[in-house]
Amino acid sequence: MADHDPARDPLYPDPRRQISPQERDALIAALDQVLPTDALLHHEEDLRPYECDGLSAYRRLPLAVILPHDLAQARAALGICRERGIPVTARGAGTGLSGGALPFPDGVLLSLARFNRILELDPVRRMARVQPGVRNLAISEAAAPHGLYYAPDPSSQIACSIGGNVAENSGGVHCLKYGLTVHNVLAVQMLTIEGELLTLGGEALDSPGYDLLALIHGSEGMLGIITEVTVRLLPKPERAQVLMAAFDDAQTAGEAVAGLIGAGIIPGGLEMMDNDAIRAAEDFVHAGYPVDAAAILLCELDGTEAEVSEQVMQVRNLLLDSGATEVRTARDEQERMRFWAGRKAAFPAVGRISPDYYCMDGTIPRRHLGRVLGGIAELSRGYGLRVANVFHAGDGNLHPLILFDANVPGELEKAEELGGQILELCVEVGGTITGEHGVGIEKINQMCVQFQPAELTQFHGVKAAFDPEGLLNPGKAVPTLHRCAEFGAMHVHRGQLPFPDLPRF
Amino acid sequence: MADHDPARDPLYPDPRRQISPQERDALIAALDQVLPTDALLHHEEDLRPYECDGLSAYRRLPLAVILPHDLAQARAALGICRERGIPVTARGAGTGLSGGALPFPDGVLLSLARFNRILELDPVRRMARVQPGVRNLAISEAAAPHGLYYAPDPSSQIACSIGGNVAENSGGVHCLKYGLTVHNVLAVQMLTIEGELLTLGGEALDSPGYDLLALIHGSEGMLGIITEVTVRLLPKPERAQVLMAAFDDAQTAGEAVAGLIGAGIIPGGLEMMDNDAIRAAEDFVHAGYPVDAAAILLCELDGTEAEVSEQVMQVRNLLLDSGATEVRTARDEQERMRFWAGRKAAFPAVGRISPDYYCMDGTIPRRHLGRVLGGIAELSRGYGLRVANVFHAGDGNLHPLILFDANVPGELEKAEELGGQILELCVEVGGTITGEHGVGIEKINQMCVQFQPAELTQFHGVKAAFDPEGLLNPGKAVPTLHRCAEFGAMHVHRGQLPFPDLPRF
């Protein structure tokens, strides 16, 4: 847009040239040649709904939004962008939390919303072949009559699309036991920026050649446009039961998590909430949580009748031995759903007690849960901002919610800085700056903390192998070395260089 | 070597220049500067043991074999090779079955045999950090006192090394339930051809940036030199039980496999043997197999006491309902071990009934087991060569053993051609040309059948992002388009082009 100066845009440290109004008009005209009227938006009011994804702190308008109906249209439009050197950002349902689908101001936003058909669902082969715009939950709904479901269940599963799940390698409550998106996808069909259609993976356990299927997972739209996804379906467990354990302090709860996993239990879900989160959720949905507890654990066990019955007893004893002050097993399916309703409503519930909140996503080795929760509390006091914790304890995936008021000048910046500090604390204990929300634009600076220059250079090499001109979703996920140098963090890598005294050649 | 003419070497369709004796001497002298005497072999008699790996049909002598003691030596030697444009092939234990560690005649073979230390084993974090030359089984042995083990168990697990397991993404009897190597490795440290040390992955469930950890799995030494591997350890199952089911014909046995999986059972192992294999194994180890059966299935169930007891009954009934003529449950641990001993000895047992055999490795969707076994029998008759079948039925990973006599002129070539036909049959039904043995040099032509030019081009792009000069293990795993054109198979891809009438740009 005319009001955009790339040289000053903090999101794009290595800006591309700004395109002229003439170039923009010529681009729209060319796209208009290959797309039906309803598949090309370019008036400002039509572009507004696409200015951000779930990370609403950053907003940019693209030059145009295209909504192709089929592969031929997508390919033709992509060809036009490529010829003219126009960046393309793909967008699924726009529920991403790290700004991965934030439009590039001098680029085109490619929405896959119309790629929304389930092409094949075979209960015998336990697979579904779907278009990328199909909603996550819609797959499980279609599979339900056959007693099957699609396992990864991000909180946004009602709305988020499977293509976006692949791009972000989404997790969910059940990923400790059932894995991330990459563990549940058999094949992906994608369009390269050159317009080639690639089939990655297949129905066999392994595929020869380099594992491009895994590579595309979590690549945040930087390597290609996903046009079809084949997912694995699982049989619904015969029985599920949930236990809720209350603790006097969060550290003890953290240690109980390590104890459960150490005893060889792999729960279907293992979630933790601290007192702020418990109170907010209880006020909102009346889940029956103990509001005086410093922390609760929700532990879901699923499997056959025999297996679940045996494990419920074992887990109950383990939790009590670990110092739980109270352990309750859901009396019936209704109570089980209520226990989960509280957890699932925790984010909006926190939204009720604070004008704004900033949801973080970092992962740490489970054994450091106690230490990191302590560190977060300390940072919270230092910044004078409350932090509620609701998270996937089983896989050490933290979701600290930083409470702030965007109307108080400086609070957003303070919240962002606190968030950055929390992520760096995660890296310090051997964790990572993202569990399941991706890097996008939100955590691009922390990538400089997580990786060494050699590793970032290798990432850029891989990117260039797919997209040599850098047209796919520029400015996201992998920072340039220049950016890291500016961020001043290249010297830090897990405390030290791994082999500082080795000869270099 | 002087007797090698690259232009005529069928293994290298796009040969590099042959190096002169002067260049060779200068290379040896340079390597001698950075390596201790016992780490550099270059006399022909010292090179002989390295002329092939487990695929003994192909043999080549490298210019030199290097056996560095540590990372600094490996890095220095790699730098010398890179400066001079000398190809480097990494080798673990040399047990690979597809020729992945076959030396390049004008190159250096880098053995990681001396990288054989377990650096860290933490039973609480359930992980072991080991050097790449550590044997697969040695990890489980070291973990055993803690009740833990490393799950992937290729047949060669006594001898094969973990670095080679990563390079080939090895499987084993238990990979249906516990996954391939990629599912059991947390992190890999590797040296790039430029001498940079990269850390891929970590202890968290997911890692930001492109998934280079998955990419390195199965990359057959073409992207980097693996210098450290961190593996996940699992608790040993409380109980394991095995059922043996006999069938009147192989197709019924194949359908029983689909039936078991369809019923939601995920056995720890699910193996099938046909009559030729049953007889050979029974003669050799007296496992107690029914020698008149057309096929047997061995189904191992593992887990908690309660789970296994429940599943044994269920599997027994399912097998009988699927047409098994007899189902036996191992009466005790001794009988269980005997049932497995027969399966594990099947390859050497077949070696006793035929002068030579050629072990194939293809994977097919389980539902086509019956059809493909029928097709193999027909090809076997057509070529006049017996084929015994012993395989991982649960994940559709076939291991047809083609029996032949290398002393009969033309039989090796016939066996190879038959093998190629079997692999193409696998691709035809939607399978792949390798399950767990890799592509190496053995199946490089079949890669032209498996993939389209666009996919192969993408593979080459990824390769170039790691190794732009193509110095790491040249001639393996991913064929050049030129080679495929010569093989004449570029027009075949799962029967047809997926979108033949789409516009191209």
Side-chain angles (χ1 to χ4, degrees):
Chain A
M1 309 306 289
D3 64 347
H4 176 254
D5 174 5
R8 291 200 185 160
D9 189 331
L11 301 184
Y12 304 94
D14 293 339
R16 331 194 130 257
R17 67 184 177 90
Q18 190 172 13
I19 80 161
S20 69
Q22 291 74 23
E23 284 173 298
R24 176 188 166 281
D25 293 346
L27 169 74
I28 305 286
L31 290 171
D32 193 47
Q33 291 290 311
V34 299
L35 294 171
T37 315
D38 68 349
L40 174 63
L41 310 177
H42 56 91
H43 296 299
E44 186 172 329
E45 66 274 21
D46 297 330
L47 301 178
R48 275 290 160 217
Y50 298 93
E51 67 181 353
C52 70
D53 60 10
L55 181 77
S56 55
Y58 301 103
R59 294 164 192 268
R60 293 290 182 279
L61 288 184
L63 296 176
V65 172
I66 57 175
L67 296 123
H69 292 261
D70 57 33
L71 196 59
Q73 289 176 11
R75 189 181 237 169
L78 204 59
I80 286 168
C81 294
R82 187 176 67 102
E83 271 166 22
R84 289 157 197 258
I86 302 292
V88 177
T89 296
R91 176 186 168 108
T95 56
L97 293 170
S98 57
L102 181 74
F104 189 85
D106 284 321
V108 165
L109 187 80
L110 166 57
S111 165
L112 290 146
R114 289 200 175 114
F115 281 68
N116 61 355
R117 281 179 305 130
I118 295 181
L119 302 170
E120 190 184 356
L121 192 152
D122 186 336
V124 176
R125 281 146 68 205
R126 296 240 179 100
M127 52 71 79
R129 194 163 56 85
V130 307
Q131 290 189 315
V134 169
R135 290 175 306 110
N136 173 299
L137 193 61
I139 302 175
S140 289
E141 286 167 353
H146 308 288
L148 300 172
Y149 77 116
Y150 172 67
D153 55 348
S155 308
S156 56
Q157 70 174 143
I158 296 176
C160 67
S161 65
I162 191 72
N165 288 178
V166 171
E168 301 292 326
N169 195 17
S170 307
V173 166
H174 291 89
C175 67
L176 172 64
K177 182 162 181 178
Y178 297 103
L180 301 165
T181 303
V182 69
H183 305 114
N184 290 275
V185 166
L186 297 166
V188 165
Q189 186 198 68
M190 76 168 212
L191 210 45
T192 68
I193 186 68
E194 263 114 29
E196 296 284 0
L197 199 63
L198 306 186
T199 300
L200 316 178
E203 284 179 57
L205 198 54
D206 193 16
S207 181
Y210 306 118
D211 191 351
L212 305 188
L213 179 62
L215 193 65
I216 203 76
H217 279 84
S219 64
E220 307 198 15
M222 314 254 305
L223 303 183
I225 306 294
I226 296 163
T227 52
E228 208 177 280
V229 181
T230 304
V231 302
R232 187 196 310 279
L233 301 174
L234 297 182
K236 266 186 244 173
E238 206 175 292
R239 186 177 163 215
Q241 177 57 289
V242 73
L243 292 95
M244 187 192 61
F247 291 84
D248 271 349
D249 72 292
Q251 182 139 4
T252 311
E255 282 155 14
V257 168
L260 280 185
I261 306 288
I265 310 280
I266 302 188
L270 185 52
E271 299 285 307
M272 184 164 159
M273 293 166 73
D274 71 4
N275 185 266
D276 273 330
I278 295 169
R279 283 182 184 272
E282 188 58 26
D283 267 7
F284 188 25
V285 299
H286 313 295
Y289 295 159
V291 291
D292 295 327
I296 59 169
L297 286 179
L298 290 171
C299 176
E300 178 152 301
L301 300 166
D302 61 7
T304 64
E305 285 287 349
E307 200 181 349
V308 173
S309 302
E310 193 188 359
Q311 288 198 341
V312 163
M313 290 309 300
Q314 200 187 347
V315 167
R316 195 184 155 75
N317 292 334
L318 281 166
L319 288 169
L320 289 169
D321 290 349
S322 305
T325 53
E326 180 195 358
V327 179
R328 273 159 53 194
T329 307
R331 272 163 313 203
D332 48 29
E333 187 61 14
Q334 237 178 349
E335 190 169 52
R336 185 177 83 85
M337 296 309 284
R338 208 159 51 234
F339 282 169
W340 276 122
R343 164 63 184 89
K344 287 191 178 162
F347 286 21
V350 166
R352 293 170 78 233
I353 61 166
S354 171
D356 297 281
Y357 70 87
Y358 183 32
C359 172
M360 305 303 302
D361 171 48
T363 303
I364 56 166
R366 272 186 299 264
R367 69 189 178 286
H368 292 308
L369 271 178
R371 178 174 156 198
V372 171
L373 289 175
I376 291 175
E378 206 174 296
L379 284 166
S380 158
R381 280 190 297 275
Y383 279 85
L385 292 176
R386 278 166 71 196
V387 179
N389 285 290
V390 187
F391 58 96
H392 310 313
D395 40 351
N397 185 188
L398 304 178
H399 287 320
L401 300 174
I402 303 174
L403 313 189
F404 70 100
D405 184 346
N407 287 328
V408 176
E411 276 220 344
L412 168 63
E413 292 69 25
K414 237 166 54 171
E416 283 186 334
E417 202 183 308
L418 171 53
Q421 295 277 320
I422 291 176
L423 293 180
E424 289 173 32
L425 177 61
C426 292
V427 174
E428 209 179 291
V429 301
T432 83
I433 58 162
T434 169
E436 52 185 15
H437 297 173
V439 174
I441 192 69
E442 183 197 17
K443 294 187 216 169
I444 198 150
N445 285 339
Q446 280 75 32
M447 287 290 279
C448 310
V449 181
Q450 181 95 59
F451 294 104
Q452 291 187 76
E455 289 155 346
L456 292 171
T457 301
Q458 192 59 68
F459 285 148
H460 291 299
V462 169
K463 163 76 170 174
F466 284 81
D467 176 24
E469 290 159 66
L471 296 178
L472 291 169
N473 210 10
K476 309 289 176 62
V478 181
T480 59
L481 295 184
H482 176 69
R483 180 174 189 123
C484 286
E486 285 197 343
F487 181 63
M490 285 318 256
H491 58 288
V492 191
H493 177 69
R494 286 154 217 162
Q496 57 169 37
L497 285 171
F499 293 88
D501 49 3
L502 273 182
R504 320 277 288 183
F505 61 82
Chain B
M1 307 307 287
D3 63 348
H4 176 254
D5 175 3
R8 291 202 186 160
D9 190 330
L11 300 184
Y12 305 94
D14 293 338
R16 325 193 135 259
R17 67 187 176 87
Q18 189 172 14
I19 81 161
S20 70
Q22 292 74 21
E23 284 173 298
R24 175 188 166 279
D25 293 347
L27 169 73
I28 305 285
L31 289 171
D32 193 46
Q33 291 290 312
V34 298
L35 294 171
T37 315
D38 68 350
L40 174 63
L41 310 177
H42 56 91
H43 297 299
E44 185 172 331
E45 66 275 20
D46 297 329
L47 301 179
R48 275 291 158 216
Y50 299 93
E51 67 180 352
C52 68
D53 59 12
L55 180 78
S56 57
Y58 301 103
R59 294 164 192 268
R60 293 289 182 279
L61 287 183
L63 296 175
V65 172
I66 58 174
L67 295 123
H69 291 261
D70 56 33
L71 197 58
Q73 289 177 11
R75 189 182 235 169
L78 204 59
I80 286 168
C81 293
R82 188 176 65 102
E83 271 166 21
R84 290 156 197 257
I86 302 292
V88 176
T89 296
R91 177 187 169 105
T95 56
L97 293 170
S98 57
L102 181 74
F104 189 84
D106 283 320
V108 164
L109 188 79
L110 165 56
S111 165
L112 291 147
R114 289 201 176 114
F115 280 70
N116 61 357
R117 281 180 306 132
I118 295 181
L119 303 170
E120 189 184 359
L121 192 153
D122 186 337
V124 176
R125 281 147 67 206
R126 296 238 180 102
M127 52 71 79
R129 193 162 57 85
V130 306
Q131 290 189 313
V134 169
R135 289 175 306 111
N136 173 298
L137 193 61
I139 302 175
S140 289
E141 285 167 354
H146 308 287
L148 299 173
Y149 77 115
Y150 172 68
D153 56 347
S155 309
S156 57
Q157 71 174 143
I158 296 176
C160 66
S161 65
I162 191 72
N165 288 179
V166 172
E168 301 292 327
N169 195 16
S170 306
V173 166
H174 292 90
C175 66
L176 171 64
K177 183 162 182 178
Y178 297 103
L180 301 166
T181 302
V182 69
H183 305 114
N184 291 275
V185 166
L186 297 166
V188 165
Q189 186 198 70
M190 75 168 211
L191 210 46
T192 67
I193 185 69
E194 264 114 28
E196 296 284 0
L197 200 63
L198 307 185
T199 300
L200 316 178
E203 284 181 57
L205 198 54
D206 193 16
S207 182
Y210 306 119
D211 191 350
L212 305 188
L213 179 63
L215 193 66
I216 203 76
H217 279 84
S219 64
E220 306 197 16
M222 314 254 304
L223 302 184
I225 307 294
I226 295 162
T227 53
E228 208 177 280
V229 181
T230 304
V231 301
R232 187 195 309 279
L233 302 174
L234 298 181
K236 265 185 245 174
E238 205 174 293
R239 186 177 164 215
Q241 177 57 289
V242 71
L243 292 94
M244 186 192 62
F247 292 84
D248 271 349
D249 71 292
Q251 182 139 5
T252 310
E255 283 155 13
V257 168
L260 279 185
I261 306 287
I265 310 278
I266 303 188
L270 184 52
E271 299 286 306
M272 184 162 159
M273 293 167 73
D274 71 3
N275 186 264
D276 273 329
I278 294 168
R279 284 181 184 272
E282 188 57 26
D283 266 7
F284 189 25
V285 299
H286 314 293
Y289 295 159
V291 291
D292 294 329
I296 60 169
L297 286 180
L298 290 171
C299 177
E300 179 154 299
L301 300 167
D302 61 8
T304 64
E305 284 288 348
E307 199 182 349
V308 173
S309 301
E310 192 187 0
Q311 288 198 341
V312 163
M313 290 309 300
Q314 198 187 347
V315 168
R316 196 185 155 75
N317 292 335
L318 281 166
L319 288 168
L320 289 169
D321 289 351
S322 306
T325 54
E326 181 195 356
V327 179
R328 274 160 52 196
T329 307
R331 272 163 312 201
D332 49 29
E333 187 60 13
Q334 238 178 349
E335 190 169 51
R336 186 177 82 86
M337 296 309 286
R338 209 160 49 234
F339 281 169
W340 277 121
R343 164 64 185 87
K344 287 190 178 162
F347 286 22
V350 166
R352 293 169 78 233
I353 62 167
S354 171
D356 298 282
Y357 71 87
Y358 184 31
C359 171
M360 306 302 303
D361 170 47
T363 303
I364 55 166
R366 272 185 298 265
R367 69 189 179 285
H368 293 309
L369 271 178
R371 175 173 158 201
V372 171
L373 289 174
I376 292 175
E378 204 173 296
L379 284 166
S380 159
R381 281 189 298 274
Y383 278 85
L385 292 176
R386 278 166 72 195
V387 179
N389 284 290
V390 187
F391 59 96
H392 310 314
D395 40 351
N397 184 190
L398 303 178
H399 287 320
L401 300 174
I402 303 173
L403 313 188
F404 69 100
D405 184 346
N407 287 326
V408 177
E411 277 219 344
L412 169 62
E413 292 70 25
K414 240 167 52 172
E416 285 186 333
E417 203 183 309
L418 170 53
Q421 295 277 321
I422 291 175
L423 294 180
E424 289 173 31
L425 177 60
C426 291
V427 174
E428 209 180 290
V429 301
T432 83
I433 58 164
T434 169
E436 53 185 15
H437 297 173
V439 174
I441 192 70
E442 185 197 17
K443 294 186 216 169
I444 197 151
N445 285 338
Q446 280 75 34
M447 287 289 279
C448 310
V449 181
Q450 182 94 57
F451 294 104
Q452 290 188 75
E455 289 154 347
L456 293 171
T457 301
Q458 192 59 68
F459 286 147
H460 291 300
V462 169
K463 163 77 170 173
F466 284 81
D467 176 23
E469 290 159 65
L471 296 177
L472 291 169
N473 211 9
K476 309 290 176 61
V478 182
T480 59
L481 295 184
H482 175 71
R483 180 174 190 123
C484 286
E486 285 197 344
F487 182 63
M490 286 317 255
H491 57 288
V492 190
H493 178 69
R494 287 154 216 163
Q496 58 170 34
L497 285 171
F499 293 88
D501 49 3
L502 273 181
R504 320 280 284 186
F505 62 81

